[in-house]
Amino acid sequence: MRAPRLLVALAAAALLGPLGATTASAAPTNDTSAGATAVTSLPTTVTQDTSTATTDALDATLNEQCGAPATNGSVWFTYTDPTGDGLLVDLAQSDFTAGVMIVQGDPTAGGFLVACGPEAVAVRGEAGTTYYVMAFSDTPERIGGTLVASFEPLPPAPVSTLTVDPRATAYKDGSLKLTGSYSCSNANGFFSDIEGQVVQRVGRVKIAGFFFTSPLECDGAVHPWEAFAFSDNGLFAGGKAANVSIVFACGDFDCATTAVEQSVQVSRNGK
């Protein structure tokens, strides 16, 4: 009777085996850029389990330019910007430390990385531009988790203007005072500045000095500015000087720049 009992036990084991076995969970459909999930409007929030997502050679190639600690559990999205107003991707609400890369165009067909960083990055470009967005775990020990990806429009772009007065003043200590006016809006004044270089030939010596002034009042109104240029290789004197001035008005995600290149007439001690 032992043989029949053994056959019955083996048959039962064979029946139970498939039912008790575990199978690997499939990777998400947007595990690669070819299956990227399309985001069609802003704002949009996508919540997704990325614990079975993978990483591949494309991730590694893009990360050569980004330098994230890891690109584990990466998933992909696409968005075509109809207006050129830009795109903000925010992953801060995910339950793991997340990073994001934004590629302009198809990353497998000549697209190039335009933004990357932890938690949130933004990009602004031409209307009609298609972006591929890769969200991933940047922790080497963790594949992924609950990804919460918010796709949002950017605030209005910073705007700036700049003028440089045609006359400057050289002082006895060799410094040179420049003045002018500026305006900026949609920007954070503490991250905005006016800077530049002044070059003047005094005899056989070419004097070069740099100037800088910050913060700015970025309220849209026109404000005066002044700055002092100092040189390490001589003293500014009366005469003409070539000036290059730039105003940087920076918001949370991008900056506006306005450059002015002109000659200024330098008076000695204000005379």
Side-chain angles (χ1 to χ4, degrees), residues 6 70 80 95 108 128 130 145 190-192 195 207 226 228 238 263 269:
L6 178 60
T80 299
D95 70 354
T108 66
T130 295
F190 288 97
F191 299 108
S192 305
E195 58 187 74
I207 309 299
E226 65 176 42
F228 288 86
S263 293
N269 295 329

Side-chain angles (χ1 to χ4, degrees), residues 38-50:
V39 175
T40 58
S41 62
L42 303 181
T44 294
T45 298
V46 177
T47 301
Q48 179 179 358
D49 180 5
T50 63

Side-chain angles (χ1 to χ4, degrees), residues 217-229:
E217 294 183 63
C218 289
D219 55 6
V222 176
H223 299 278
W225 68 271
E226 65 176 42
F228 288 86

Side-chain angles (χ1 to χ4, degrees), residues 122-251:
V123 65
R124 198 190 305 269
E126 297 295 327
T129 301
T130 295
Y131 300 103
Y132 280 70
V133 178
M134 184 178 80
F136 56 92
S137 166
D138 60 8
T139 303
E141 298 80 15
R142 181 161 182 176
I143 297 299
T146 301
L147 173 73
V148 181
S150 296
F151 298 84
E152 304 170 13
L154 282 181
V159 177
S160 64
T161 66
L162 178 69
T163 68
V164 179
D165 292 336
R167 300 188 67 85
T169 303
Y171 292 92
K172 292 181 180 180
D173 63 359
S175 64
L176 182 67
K177 179 182 177 181
L178 297 110
T179 58
S181 65
Y182 75 90
S183 68
C184 51
S185 58
N186 305 327
N188 185 329
F190 288 97
F191 299 108
S192 305
D193 65 72
I194 296 171
E195 58 187 74
Q197 181 184 36
V198 180
V199 177
Q200 183 184 46
R201 184 171 292 279
V202 180
R204 297 183 178 180
V205 180
K206 184 179 288 186
I207 309 299
F210 296 89
F211 60 91
F212 175 90
T213 182
S214 181
L216 306 182
E217 294 183 63
C218 289
D219 55 6
V222 176
H223 299 278
W225 68 271
E226 65 176 42
F228 288 86
F230 296 88
S231 174
D232 292 331
N233 66 329
L235 305 180
F236 288 105
K240 287 186 177 181
N243 163 255
V244 179
S245 305
I246 300 175
V247 57
F248 291 95
C250 296

Side-chain angles (χ1 to χ4, degrees), residues 26-38 48-50 52-60 62 71-79 101 103 105-109 131-136 147:
T29 57
N30 60 340
D31 192 45
T32 65
S33 60
T37 299
Q48 179 179 358
D49 180 5
T50 63
T52 61
T54 65
T55 187
D56 59 18
L58 176 60
D59 299 358
L62 292 172
T71 56
N72 286 332
S74 65
V75 291
W76 287 86
F77 305 87
T78 61
Y79 173 70
M101 299 187 197
V103 178
D106 187 338
T108 66
Y131 300 103
Y132 280 70
V133 178
M134 184 178 80
F136 56 92
L147 173 73

